[in-house]
Amino acid sequence: MLLDDADIRIAVSTYYQGHQKFRTRPVAQVLKDIWAGHISVHDAKRSAAREGWRERHGYFDGLWWKGSNPTEQLGFVEGYTTCHNRELRKAKPLEFQPANYVQLISAWYTPAGDESVVAHHQAEKIADVLLRFSEHAGSASR
């Protein structure tokens, strides 16, 4: 589906407001239904061939992080870690508190150095940065 952040937030809120008995359903499952087209979104269109984000993790990179506010950043990390820990059963769990990941990710996206270092960091997807910190935490504790 071709959706922006605002459309997704409205669709998720509308779903929970209209389905009170499903308020404990994980947001990740609601999002899957939205993206699959099972939950209608006003003015949403299916993407045509070669349209929309095809790369892994879409547009959630350093530029998105820089343009988001602290609540959105925490929400992203909470959602990602919850989804990762519940859906990817064979993956190593993400064990830090979400607020700790937010601090680490924010520091990653504001590196010291020349423009090429900054550009390299900003091009990294948030999920990949988050997983990098998780891997370092695991190797540091050994």
Side-chain angles (χ1 to χ4, degrees):
M1 302 300 292
L2 296 175
L3 303 167
D4 65 19
D5 286 355
D7 291 334
I8 293 170
R9 283 193 298 265
I10 291 167
V12 170
S13 295
T14 301
Y15 172 82
Y16 285 119
Q17 290 169 4
H19 299 86
Q20 295 290 322
K21 63 183 177 181
F22 296 114
R23 289 186 76 92
T24 59
R25 185 175 184 218
V27 172
Q29 291 178 1
V30 176
L31 289 172
K32 284 181 184 179
D33 283 348
I34 290 170
W35 291 323
H38 302 304
I39 295 175
S40 64
V41 179
H42 182 67
D43 290 336
K45 298 180 284 186
R46 288 213 174 269
S47 58
R50 297 188 177 139
E51 187 177 34
W53 291 94
R54 298 289 183 223
E55 60 189 70
R56 198 166 167 245
H57 302 301
Y59 56 84
F60 293 107
D61 59 14
L63 292 176
W64 182 89
W65 191 265
K66 182 179 177 182
S68 61
N69 65 48
T71 302
E72 292 168 327
Q73 293 169 353
L74 182 60
F76 179 94
V77 171
E78 287 175 341
Y80 187 87
T81 56
T82 298
C83 185
H84 176 90
N85 290 342
R86 289 187 182 162
E87 301 288 327
L88 304 176
R89 303 209 189 280
K90 294 183 180 180
K92 181 181 181 291
L94 299 172
E95 298 175 342
F96 288 155
Q97 291 296 315
N100 292 349
Y101 282 119
V102 169
Q103 291 176 341
L104 292 168
I105 294 167
S106 293
W108 168 263
Y109 285 129
T110 53
D114 63 24
E115 289 180 22
S116 66
V117 172
V118 173
H120 171 74
H121 278 237
Q122 295 224 332
E124 291 269 345
K125 300 298 181 181
I126 301 165
D128 294 334
V129 173
L130 194 151
L131 291 174
R132 178 180 288 124
F133 289 121
S134 178
E135 291 167 5
H136 290 309
S139 63
S141 64
R142 290 182 193 144

